[in-house]
Amino acid sequence: MVVRVQEFERVLKTLAEVQRSEARDYSSFSVRGKRFGYFWPRTRTVGLKQTVSEQLALVSERPDVFEVQFTAGGFGWV
């Protein structure tokens, strides 16, 4: 599944209260201080926060689209 960077950014702009923070290698996205996603321009990869069970279900169902990126505090990013 491929989404152009411009389309991804357009969708983000339609979401209420989304704040973007820039780091050296990535951008992160939050709402009211709660981080929900990352974007790595070098690899054109997006990571979105899920519960660990949702993470595993998404990866199992669509391994061609989703991959386990990392887990922290009961949450996993795909």
Side-chain angles (χ1 to χ4, degrees):
M1 176 181 221
V2 177
V3 174
R4 293 183 181 179
V5 173
Q6 296 85 352
E7 180 68 10
F8 171 70
E9 291 179 343
R10 186 192 66 74
V11 170
L12 280 174
K13 289 178 183 177
T14 67
L15 302 173
E17 300 185 57
V18 171
Q19 296 176 315
R20 181 180 189 145
S21 298
E22 300 293 334
R24 189 185 80 193
D25 296 327
Y26 62 89
S27 300
S28 61
F29 303 94
S30 305
V31 172
R32 297 182 189 168
K34 304 275 185 180
R35 181 127 333 127
F36 70 87
Y38 295 90
F39 172 61
W40 293 271
R42 185 179 60 79
T43 59
R44 294 185 181 175
T45 304
V46 171
L48 298 173
K49 186 177 184 180
Q50 309 292 319
T51 64
V52 171
S53 60
E54 289 170 328
Q55 177 195 49
L56 296 174
L58 287 167
V59 172
S60 295
E61 184 178 309
R62 300 281 307 270
D64 56 318
V65 175
F66 300 104
E67 66 182 10
V68 172
Q69 291 181 341
F70 58 92
T71 59
F75 293 96
W77 278 256
V78 295

